[in-house]
Amino acid sequence: MKLVSAIFNGFLVLLVAIGIRDVFFVYEMNSCSMTYMFEYPEYQKIKLPQRVSRLFPAYELYLYGEGIYAEKNKNLSLSGIPVLFLPGNAGSYKQVRSFGSIALRKAENINYSYHFNVFSVNFNEELVALYGGSLHKQTKFVHTCIKAILRLYKNQEFPPQSVVILGHSMAGLVARALLTLKNFKPQLINLIITQATPHIMPVLPVDYYLTDFYALVNSYWILNANKLQNITTLSVAGGFRDFQVRSGLTFLPASNIHNSVLSVVSTAVPRTWAATDHLSIVWCRELNLATARALFDLIDENTRQITEDPIKRMSILQHHFVKHAAKLYESSYETVINISESASLNYVKTTKWGHTVINACNETYFAFPLQDKRKTYTHFHCRNTFLYTHSWIFGCADKVSAKCVQIEDFSWRTDLLSTAKIVTLNMEEFSNFSHFVLYLPTTNNSKFSVECEFLNEDLNTMQLPVTHALSFGFSSSHIKINSSGLLHILQLQGFNKIYQAFNILIKKNCTESIESKPNIFRLHVPWSHEDIIRISSDELPLQLSAKLHVPQPQNDSRMVMLTLYTSADCYYEIVRCHWPSLQVYILSNLLLAYGAQLHYLSSTGHCLEFDASLDVAAKPYKVDPIINICRFLLGYDWFKHIWDTLFLPPLDSSELHSLGLLFPVASLLLFMFGTGIAYWSGMIFKLTIKILSRLWIALTRSTDLPKEDAQFTFKLFAEIFFFFFVSWTTCGAFGTLLVFLRYLIKVVKLQSVLKRYPTSECGVQSTSDSKATNILTSNSSSKTTEVDNAIPASEQETAIKPNSNSDSNTAADSLKMHITIMNLLLWMILLILPSFIYWLKNIRYNFQLDPDPMKFLAIILVFTMEMLMNFSILSIKASKLLKTTARLQLPFSVIVVAFGQLHLYRAAYFITFSLFVHALSNFI
């Protein structure tokens, strides 16, 4: 049975490993270009008032520069537009050089008609994604920096009244948090650009300061949406390469402030079209160019600062980050132009047309009559590989002479893609026009092609149902596009949840291979800006990973579309093959195993091995049904009222369901994966203890069994006081870590002694003995307990002998219990490590962590762990609380899952309370 259990749990861990590999390694290659500096970057420190330096000793403000520009600004006589870069979690202020250098080069190209002064804040590379205690402090310092920056311009001709903020990772949330400060003036910022910022919720909610900060910021922006209309916010996500911050977390809720908020994924940003990881989003040249172009277009010629018009700001951001029309942005332009008399006007009467231009000397116009096409066709589609920014598609309303002397510009309807610009015009919208006119300019040693066709959208649109997510990759769908043409639309029915993921394989069969023409494939998500664009390969079939960042809104019936901008000589074949908090499920499994061990101890007088306890107790039906029933009942007002009356927090699974993140069998799979991980982590921990015990035996010569005190001693009081003092004066996580290491030494020493005196020689029954033997062992152990309890604790200590069978039996049971407790503590230590790392990194500034999310919890943990490691298991066997403690583990395992998935820090409280009740068993 042990072998079967090991194999099964090993298989579960293997599945988890495959999933981790998919997240961390299976994604597209980085197609971003590195941003390089033309001159050596310089960072000039801005001197802040002494009061500010005393309040924020670890923070600094810098001005970025290069070469002559940096030398010119040494006296801080600035005349540009201020941009403040905020680094994110563990980020450096020097990361500003990527955007700063590009902004400087673009200013040089226009002879400094306009330019930006780029500042950067040094947050000392703090781990704010793991420790939220410094987020308020960072927010206050940024406010101070904004006021200090604006003071530098007070004597200029056009002094800025606001600062553009560019925030990476958690710094984007800090930028939004500025509005929550009581004395902050909203006029100080009018544009916030965030990169890979988890706006919705923290990636790892490991302390309540982090979750409280999120609640404060998001609730403020929701409740004050009308007041924030003048602040334009752009959130850019990195796509599936960014495994640190899932792109779905970066989408700002835009229901109330849709005119001032824009959220996009870098794969959909025109002229970028690339996924970025969490760091490359800062230095990605294509993305920095898009940002710089947008900022220069945002400059008001009259004030020489960022425009105060929020509608214009959003229009410009839409142009550069959503739909680029292959034209330079113009706030107003002439829609009607005249065709010069010298221009050549050619009429095209065919439904499909293609033209290749090589070194054209004269500009040419092609006119496509519409009157005879309206009954058969619904749309006119063109693809142009000449990517220069100019007007190229027009409409003619001359129905009488059809000479088309005056034409109206339709170029703003163009979509710029990676190798071509595309336009699809609905003829019903242009009932007053007689012709579509195509303009081909003169070229200088350049070659490009143009293809156009009239089409019927219904005939070119097909639907393909998405196989259910539970197909586990064993099903596939196949569709063949038999008609040749330039445009094909495939609607993916039922593809609307983020847990759905599959591969799209596109094969092509071309009738002619004389010249390879580019074929573009675009996966378009209509309810969010997260498109994926790919270019076909001539050698191999194209494989496209179809995943969603944001689930479909409830009132949105649109479908995800795969658009094929193809060659007219090819037929296409599409095959579709199918392929959040794991920590809380691991802890839930450990609590169940812990409860089974306590129950077995109370009924038989002996402890089960950790792996046997896990096999007996880890059953999904003990946890999931209760949570699902509660989530179902919370849909009724009467149950919701009872829930609120009991002051219970919101159920995490309900929030996950509302966000579209709850997969139908996700909890079952996570529970099983948690079982496998808990099993093998326990086995590895036991192996580690055995290895350390061998090392201990080699270093020491002690042969006595350890003495388990049943009363308070001076040494115990001294240890408790020491760990109390460390936890209170330095960092609670540090004190907890120290007592954990003390506990580990205790267990290693116990294991080393039992190595010398194997329990099998002492008559200890194994877990695989028969039921009768277990009953006999239980009876004998209860009698032994009565005898042991009759002897004073001090006499028990002196009566211990190295070769005593009962002492070895007790020591073996103690070791099994300690290993289970240590497994629980080990996973809890992982949850509190971020605050310890933060404290260790900033110890030169503050010896005491303030605020400390673990201070009070550490005090309870220190007492609990000291009691558990120093008191005898004999007293626990005789405790009246033992059965109650065993029964409480099941509710605790349910509560951890119910309230810990979105609030991981709560798991530490539940585990602490569980262990505290066990510690009380030594006294009651």
Side-chain angles (χ1 to χ4, degrees):
M1 290 300 294
K2 285 190 175 182
L3 179 61
V4 173
S5 177
I7 293 174
F8 178 73
N9 288 293
F11 174 72
L12 293 175
V13 174
L14 177 63
L15 291 179
V16 174
I18 293 173
I20 293 174
R21 174 186 172 275
D22 182 74
V23 171
F24 285 88
F25 302 105
V26 182
Y27 45 69
E28 63 178 287
M29 297 299 294
N30 188 1
S31 55
C32 278
S33 303
M34 175 62 74
T35 302
Y36 293 99
M37 285 76 252
F38 284 80
E39 298 176 277
Y40 190 80
E42 297 185 32
Y43 307 90
Q44 181 179 353
K45 185 176 179 180
I46 307 297
K47 186 177 181 180
L48 298 174
Q50 292 185 354
R51 176 183 60 83
V52 176
S53 299
R54 286 195 301 269
L55 286 174
F56 311 100
Y59 300 161
E60 297 167 322
L61 177 63
Y62 290 89
L63 172 65
Y64 177 80
E66 297 177 19
I68 298 175
Y69 170 80
E71 189 66 29
K72 181 181 178 181
N73 290 327
K74 290 292 184 182
N75 60 357
L76 294 179
S77 179
L78 307 178
S79 59
I81 303 168
V83 176
L84 180 58
F85 173 77
L86 307 179
N89 177 60
S92 169
Y93 67 95
K94 294 183 179 181
Q95 291 174 310
V96 72
R97 63 185 178 268
S98 297
F99 171 78
S101 182
I102 285 181
L104 181 58
R105 297 284 85 78
K106 288 189 70 67
E108 289 179 351
N109 293 338
I110 58 174
N111 296 320
Y112 291 99
S113 299
Y114 311 105
H115 70 280
F116 291 90
N117 302 126
V118 185
F119 298 83
S120 182
V121 171
N122 178 17
F123 283 138
N124 194 33
E125 300 183 13
E126 292 179 336
L127 300 173
V128 287
L130 302 177
Y131 170 74
S134 62
L135 286 170
H136 282 288
K137 186 166 57 175
Q138 286 191 2
T139 306
K140 293 177 181 178
F141 182 72
V142 172
H143 183 199
T144 303
C145 289
I146 291 174
K147 293 187 291 186
I149 290 171
L150 293 178
R151 282 197 295 267
L152 298 174
Y153 296 86
K154 60 182 179 181
N155 296 323
Q156 301 301 324
E157 180 181 0
F158 298 99
Q161 303 300 316
S162 62
V163 175
V164 176
I165 294 185
L166 181 62
H168 173 238
S169 187
M170 290 295 293
L173 190 70
V174 171
R176 293 176 58 219
L178 288 168
L179 281 301
T180 65
L181 299 177
K182 292 182 179 179
N183 56 345
F184 184 80
K185 298 178 180 179
Q187 297 80 10
L188 295 180
I189 53 175
N190 58 15
L191 177 61
I192 299 174
I193 301 176
T194 68
Q195 299 173 331
T197 298
H199 288 291
I200 295 179
M201 64 179 69
V203 177
L204 282 176
V206 291
D207 68 56
Y208 56 84
Y209 294 119
L210 198 57
T211 55
D212 288 351
F213 190 80
Y214 266 88
L216 173 66
V217 174
N218 288 331
S219 62
Y220 182 88
W221 278 65
I222 292 173
L223 296 175
N224 298 274
N226 294 329
K227 298 180 182 179
L228 303 177
Q229 291 287 343
N230 290 327
I231 299 176
T232 304
T233 306
L234 169 66
S235 175
V236 183
F240 291 109
R241 278 187 60 85
D242 189 351
F243 55 80
Q244 296 184 42
V245 175
R246 184 176 61 81
S247 295
L249 298 179
T250 67
F251 279 72
L252 282 161
S255 57
N256 296 326
I257 48 177
H258 60 278
N259 292 326
S260 61
V261 166
L262 178 63
S263 300
V264 299
V265 181
S266 60
T267 54
V269 175
R271 306 173 76 174
T272 300
W273 300 301
T276 66
D277 58 48
H278 197 62
L279 291 180
S280 67
I281 197 171
V282 178
W283 54 256
C284 180
R285 183 173 180 271
E286 289 78 7
L287 195 56
N288 276 306
L289 281 171
T291 305
R293 294 186 193 107
L295 289 181
F296 275 93
D297 282 345
L298 284 166
I299 298 175
D300 189 326
E301 294 181 359
N302 297 322
T303 63
R304 304 179 69 84
Q305 298 294 324
I306 298 296
T307 178
E308 295 295 327
D309 184 358
I311 298 177
K312 183 178 180 180
R313 286 199 300 265
M314 183 54 63
S315 175
I316 292 172
L317 292 179
Q318 289 273 356
H319 173 75
H320 288 282
F321 287 90
V322 178
K323 182 179 172 60
H324 197 292
K327 286 174 61 68
L328 297 176
Y329 178 81
E330 300 175 35
S331 57
S332 60
Y333 59 94
E334 294 183 2
T335 60
V336 179
I337 63 173
N338 294 322
I339 297 179
S340 63
E341 295 181 357
S342 61
S344 173
L345 181 61
N346 303 305
Y347 290 89
V348 180
K349 297 182 179 180
T350 59
T351 57
K352 291 183 180 181
W353 173 84
H355 185 67
T356 300
V357 180
I358 304 176
N359 298 330
C361 299
N362 300 313
E363 58 182 9
T364 308
Y365 291 88
F366 291 90
F368 298 82
L370 305 180
Q371 193 61 33
D372 58 337
K373 306 292 192 309
R374 294 188 185 277
K375 295 181 179 179
T376 309
Y377 302 101
T378 60
H379 289 74
F380 177 70
H381 173 80
C382 278
R383 177 172 63 176
N384 189 344
T385 60
F386 190 67
L387 299 180
Y388 286 88
T389 54
H390 73 292
S391 296
W392 66 289
I393 186 76
F394 302 88
C396 172
D398 191 348
K399 296 183 179 180
V400 179
S401 62
K403 292 183 178 181
C404 295
V405 177
Q406 283 190 335
I407 53 178
E408 184 173 340
D409 193 356
F410 295 158
S411 301
W412 288 103
R413 296 174 178 267
T414 303
D415 273 327
L416 178 62
L417 302 179
S418 51
T419 59
K421 48 190 179 185
I422 307 292
V423 67
T424 304
L425 303 176
N426 188 339
M427 290 195 290
E428 287 186 2
E429 298 180 13
F430 306 101
S431 57
N432 296 327
F433 290 85
S434 60
H435 295 74
F436 287 136
V437 179
L438 199 67
Y439 167 65
L440 303 183
T442 58
T443 60
N444 297 320
N445 297 322
S446 61
K447 175 183 177 180
F448 67 94
S449 63
V450 183
E451 293 178 285
C452 297
E453 72 171 347
F454 289 90
L455 57 89
N456 190 314
E457 187 181 48
D458 293 336
L459 298 178
N460 287 61
T461 301
M462 291 166 286
Q463 294 185 348
L464 181 65
V466 174
T467 304
H468 197 273
L470 297 181
S471 61
F472 296 107
F474 293 106
S475 66
S476 63
S477 298
H478 179 276
I479 188 169
K480 189 173 183 178
I481 302 174
N482 292 317
S483 62
S484 62
L486 300 177
L487 177 67
H488 302 282
I489 300 173
L490 184 66
Q491 297 177 335
L492 304 180
Q493 293 179 319
F495 184 34
N496 50 25
K497 302 295 183 182
I498 66 170
Y499 54 75
Q500 295 172 299
F502 51 89
N503 293 329
I504 297 176
L505 191 66
I506 302 176
K507 302 177 182 179
K508 65 179 180 178
N509 179 19
C510 297
T511 57
E512 73 173 41
S513 58
I514 299 175
E515 181 181 4
S516 177
K517 297 181 181 179
N519 299 290
I520 307 170
F521 307 100
R522 180 182 188 180
L523 186 70
H524 174 61
V525 182
W527 55 80
S528 61
H529 306 299
E530 52 178 288
D531 296 2
I532 299 176
I533 298 174
R534 293 287 185 275
I535 302 175
S536 65
S537 171
D538 293 330
E539 294 82 13
L540 299 175
L542 175 72
Q543 180 170 302
L544 179 65
S545 295
K547 303 175 185 177
L548 295 177
H549 296 290
V550 179
Q552 184 179 26
Q554 291 183 354
N555 298 325
D556 197 325
S557 60
R558 294 173 294 177
M559 289 182 284
V560 176
M561 293 185 298
L562 176 64
T563 306
L564 288 74
Y565 302 100
T566 61
S567 171
D569 302 318
C570 297
Y571 296 88
Y572 287 85
E573 186 176 336
I574 301 173
V575 182
R576 185 177 53 77
C577 303
H578 288 263
W579 293 108
S581 296
L582 188 57
Q583 299 95 324
V584 294
Y585 283 93
I586 296 172
L587 290 170
S588 178
N589 276 280
L590 290 173
L591 286 170
L592 288 173
Y594 183 38
Q597 197 173 55
L598 291 172
H599 177 76
Y600 196 83
L601 179 64
S602 66
S603 60
T604 67
H606 290 287
C607 284
L608 279 172
E609 292 282 358
F610 167 75
D611 54 336
S613 301
L614 191 65
D615 288 340
V616 170
K619 308 298 180 186
Y621 58 79
K622 294 182 178 181
V623 177
D624 285 341
I626 299 175
I627 297 175
N628 292 331
I629 290 172
C630 289
R631 183 167 62 86
F632 173 76
L633 292 176
L634 281 171
Y636 295 94
D637 293 337
W638 62 270
F639 189 80
K640 184 69 168 59
H641 177 71
I642 296 174
W643 189 278
D644 295 336
T645 304
L646 296 174
F647 299 103
L648 293 174
L651 196 65
D652 283 357
S653 62
S654 296
E655 187 169 351
L656 287 170
H657 184 266
S658 64
L659 294 173
L661 304 177
L662 197 62
F663 180 47
V665 294
S667 56
L668 175 61
L669 293 175
L670 287 172
F671 189 94
M672 295 174 65
F673 292 154
T675 303
I677 294 174
Y679 179 89
W680 279 105
S681 66
M683 293 298 100
I684 294 173
F685 183 74
K686 284 178 66 175
L687 180 61
T688 303
I689 294 296
K690 290 180 180 179
I691 294 173
L692 293 175
S693 67
R694 289 181 182 274
L695 181 62
W696 184 268
I697 291 173
L699 296 175
T700 63
R701 298 299 177 187
S702 175
T703 59
D704 293 339
L705 287 169
K707 298 178 181 180
E708 296 190 350
D709 302 327
Q711 60 182 3
F712 288 101
T713 63
F714 176 78
K715 179 183 177 181
L716 181 59
F717 273 117
E719 285 186 6
I720 293 176
F721 177 79
F722 171 75
F723 292 127
F724 275 5
F725 179 79
V726 171
S727 301
W728 192 263
T729 58
T730 59
C731 171
F734 179 50
T736 305
L737 185 60
L738 287 180
V739 72
F740 176 81
L741 294 176
R742 170 69 181 88
Y743 203 156
L744 181 63
I745 294 172
K746 162 86 174 182
V747 175
V748 169
K749 289 170 67 176
L750 183 58
Q751 176 69 50
S752 64
V753 174
L754 288 176
K755 277 282 184 185
R756 296 177 183 272
Y757 306 100
T759 55
S760 59
E761 298 177 4
C762 306
V764 179
Q765 302 293 334
S766 66
T767 57
S768 60
D769 289 343
S770 64
K771 183 177 179 180
T773 307
N774 285 334
I775 295 173
L776 180 61
T777 306
S778 175
N779 294 335
S780 62
S781 63
S782 59
K783 293 178 182 178
T784 304
T785 303
E786 294 175 2
V787 174
D788 289 336
N789 289 340
I791 302 174
S794 59
E795 295 182 16
Q796 288 183 28
E797 295 175 17
T798 59
I800 292 177
K801 296 178 182 179
N803 296 324
S804 170
N805 287 353
S806 61
D807 292 336
S808 296
N809 189 0
T810 301
D813 286 337
S814 296
L815 179 63
K816 296 172 186 177
M817 181 64 67
H818 289 320
I819 286 178
T820 303
I821 294 173
M822 287 289 286
N823 269 298
L824 266 173
L825 291 172
L826 179 63
W827 282 96
M828 192 185 73
I829 289 294
L830 295 178
L831 296 178
I832 67 175
L833 269 181
S835 59
F836 167 71
I837 296 172
Y838 179 91
W839 168 78
L840 195 63
K841 186 177 179 63
N842 293 273
I843 194 172
R844 64 181 182 272
Y845 301 108
N846 292 298
F847 188 71
Q848 184 178 12
L849 181 63
D850 183 32
D852 187 354
M854 281 295 298
K855 177 178 287 188
F856 294 101
L857 186 64
I859 298 301
I860 302 174
L861 261 178
V862 164
F863 173 80
T864 300
M865 293 167 70
E866 283 288 340
M867 295 301 102
L868 292 176
M869 80 172 78
N870 286 291
F871 274 65
S872 172
I873 198 171
L874 299 176
S875 60
I876 296 176
K877 289 180 184 181
S879 173
K880 297 179 180 179
L881 273 181
L882 181 57
K883 290 185 177 180
T884 303
T885 305
R887 294 191 185 103
L888 283 175
Q889 303 315 310
L890 176 58
F892 280 136
S893 66
V894 176
I895 292 173
V896 163
V897 176
F899 302 114
Q901 294 188 69
L902 296 178
H903 305 80
L904 282 177
Y905 66 89
R906 291 175 179 169
Y909 291 89
F910 301 139
I911 294 172
T912 300
F913 187 71
S914 172
L915 295 176
F916 180 75
V917 175
H918 185 178
L920 290 180
S921 301
N922 292 282
F923 307 101
I924 302 175

